[in-house]
Amino acid sequence: MDDLKRAVGEVLLKDLECPVCMQYMVPPIKLCTNGHNICSKCRGTVKRCPTCRAEFSEIRCLALEDIARRVKYPCANRQRGCLELFSIEHINEHHAVCVYVKIKCPLHLFKNCSWNGLKNDLKEHAKAAHAGYFFEVSAFKSPILKDCVAVASCFGELFTYSQQKKDDRYNFAVQLIGTSSEASKYKCEFTLRAPNGVEQIRSTFFVQGYSENFETIFNSRNCLSLDEETINRFVVDGKHNLTVTLSTV
Ligand SMILES: [Zn+2]
Ligand SMILES: [Zn+2]
Ligand SMILES: [Zn+2]
Ligand SMILES: [Zn+2]
């Protein structure tokens, strides 16, 4: 971005700063009867306008809302070194995956792991602490038929493989520890092979962006979902032969 654009952006951002909490306001931005504004969070905690003591109205400041939709916001971890700028739709997504923010180990959902660190350090952690659930290749086998999460490192990125049984259905999904737009550069292929070596189920999906919300992950349709009866045809001694292959689109 050239200097002028950056300077204009910073002036506009200044207008979007909430005078109470100093966070940036996002739509809907409502006014007091004299035309001042504060963010919706602060509006819930103060009764009168902190600038003029007038009452708040339901009138929205459309011009400022329009600016809010067009301006690029700095990452909340700017002070820790993240200098990236994002539009209002993408900033929260970025905050969820910014390498300057601490993340929980994805395996904490199924194993007792309290690791909480920078995304850049997750690979070393998973390698050291979760043997059998960490893969440094783009094709690997699902570790067990029980609910689990595994981490895969390939293409210079980190991916999670999640498996969960819910309401007699087995769900399998791959996510990139990154945004959904970065994730859309990758696809994952699931191949479930029967012990007779003949039958197989093969499906390919786009990789998803990172979330710990399994409702969201498994409802996205970008995951393999099989009923128990189908899975049982492929299971021998409680084991299934499912290969996950990651590749670029
Ligand atoms: Zn505020
Ligand atoms: Zn006011
Ligand atoms: Zn950031
Ligand atoms: Zn861990």
Side-chain angles (χ1 to χ4, degrees), residues 11-50:
V11 168
L12 293 176
L13 271 174
K14 203 83 197 138
D15 286 339
L16 285 168
E17 251 177 33
C18 166
V20 180
C21 67
M22 311 308 277
Q23 301 291 307
Y24 298 116
M25 293 182 275
V26 295
I29 301 172
K30 292 182 185 171
L31 300 168
C32 85
T33 51
N34 285 324
H36 303 117
N37 35 48
I38 66 172
C39 81
S40 45
K41 237 190 240 162
C42 292
R43 195 178 157 130
T45 62
V46 298
K47 287 209 168 63
R48 286 174 172 272
C49 170

Side-chain angles (χ1 to χ4, degrees), residues 10-240:
E10 288 193 356
V11 168
L12 293 176
L13 271 174
K14 203 83 197 138
D15 286 339
L16 285 168
E17 251 177 33
C18 166
V20 180
C21 67
M22 311 308 277
Q23 301 291 307
Y24 298 116
M25 293 182 275
V26 295
I29 301 172
K30 292 182 185 171
L31 300 168
C32 85
T33 51
N34 285 324
H36 303 117
N37 35 48
I38 66 172
C39 81
S40 45
K41 237 190 240 162
C42 292
R43 195 178 157 130
T45 62
V46 298
K47 287 209 168 63
R48 286 174 172 272
C49 170
T51 312
C52 71
R53 313 302 300 157
E55 288 187 5
F56 289 118
S57 73
E58 284 303 308
I59 298 167
R60 287 163 58 183
C61 186
L62 298 180
L64 210 50
E65 287 188 7
D66 194 45
I67 291 173
R69 287 191 196 93
R70 278 191 278 174
V71 82
K72 298 271 192 195
Y73 292 81
C75 171
N77 304 307
R78 192 180 207 174
Q79 257 135 35
R80 260 179 267 167
C82 182
L83 300 177
E84 293 195 70
L85 299 169
F86 297 90
S87 64
I88 203 165
E89 302 99 37
H90 295 119
I91 186 106
N92 285 336
E93 202 180 35
H94 168 76
H95 284 157
V97 297
C98 175
V99 294
Y100 291 91
V101 80
K102 286 187 168 180
I103 60 165
K104 285 182 187 166
C105 171
L107 278 84
H108 82 94
L109 297 161
F110 294 104
K111 289 190 173 285
N112 257 342
C113 181
S114 57
W115 187 88
N116 188 354
L118 296 182
K119 179 186 159 186
N120 281 356
D121 300 329
L122 175 62
K123 181 177 164 181
E124 286 313 310
H125 160 72
K127 200 172 181 173
H130 302 300
Y133 294 85
F134 174 73
F135 306 100
E136 228 168 337
V137 283
S138 57
F140 54 89
K141 288 203 177 191
S142 163
I144 45 167
L145 190 52
K146 288 192 193 133
D147 292 359
C148 69
V149 174
V151 172
S153 167
C154 53
F155 308 111
E157 300 278 6
L158 285 175
F159 298 84
T160 60
Y161 165 73
S162 312
Q163 188 177 297
Q164 197 182 45
K165 187 184 173 198
K166 202 181 172 224
D167 306 331
D168 295 330
R169 289 194 79 80
Y170 285 84
N171 299 303
F172 310 87
V174 173
Q175 300 178 80
L176 170 79
I177 304 186
T179 61
S180 47
S181 62
E182 287 166 340
S184 65
K185 293 177 208 153
Y186 302 96
K187 60 184 179 183
C188 55
E189 183 185 77
F190 298 100
T191 313
L192 185 63
R193 288 190 179 84
N196 61 24
V198 179
E199 283 178 284
Q200 61 176 41
I201 293 175
R202 190 186 285 250
S203 287
T204 303
F205 302 91
F206 276 108
V207 168
Q208 304 178 54
Y210 194 61
S211 158
E212 282 191 352
N213 182 344
F214 285 98
E215 268 326 286
T216 315
I217 303 163
F218 295 130
N219 285 340
S220 73
R221 290 165 182 257
N222 275 324
C223 73
L224 178 65
S225 180
L226 300 169
D227 61 50
E228 196 163 14
E229 208 177 307
T230 309
I231 284 278
N232 285 341
R233 289 199 286 122
F234 291 83
V235 173
V236 180
D237 300 333
K239 289 189 181 130
H240 66 323

